[in-house]
Amino acid sequence: MHRFVKMGLIGVACMLIFSAGAFAATIKPKVFVHSNQVTSGVEPKIINGTVYVPIRAISEGFGADVKWDKKTKTVYVDSEPFFKKRI
């Protein structure tokens, strides 16, 4: 009987440890720009300790205009699609 109690306590301890890690993984990062929370249709993700956020959400949070050129698959942030490169 004493053995079953030890096994039960070990099982409960393992469950608490692993469930705490799962809980931490479900917390979604919040993004703020100029003290205003930025929301997007795509949620921010944490990959290897780095937060990835859609560029449109951040750019529009700063008041920048965002354009997408489907043909060339290029994003323009506060820039015209036909700008000339400076050399």
Side-chain angles (χ1 to χ4, degrees):
M1 185 70 164
H2 189 57
R3 182 177 178 197
F4 290 116
V5 172
K6 283 185 181 179
M7 293 298 286
L9 290 175
I10 291 172
V12 169
C14 288
M15 186 174 68
L16 289 173
I17 291 169
F18 290 117
S19 65
F23 175 73
T26 60
I27 296 174
K28 298 188 172 67
K30 295 178 185 175
V31 179
F32 289 85
V33 175
H34 295 301
S35 300
N36 296 316
Q37 186 170 0
V38 176
T39 58
S40 172
V42 179
E43 293 181 359
K45 295 182 181 181
I46 300 174
I47 302 173
N48 295 328
T50 302
V51 179
Y52 291 87
V53 183
I55 194 167
R56 180 174 294 279
I58 296 298
S59 299
E60 289 178 350
F62 280 114
D65 186 38
V66 180
K67 294 180 185 171
W68 168 250
D69 185 346
K70 187 176 182 180
K71 185 177 177 183
T72 62
K73 296 186 177 172
T74 307
V75 176
Y76 297 95
V77 179
D78 258 0
S79 181
E80 290 300 317
F82 303 107
F83 68 94
K84 294 181 181 179
K85 286 186 180 180
R86 295 181 189 176
I87 299 177

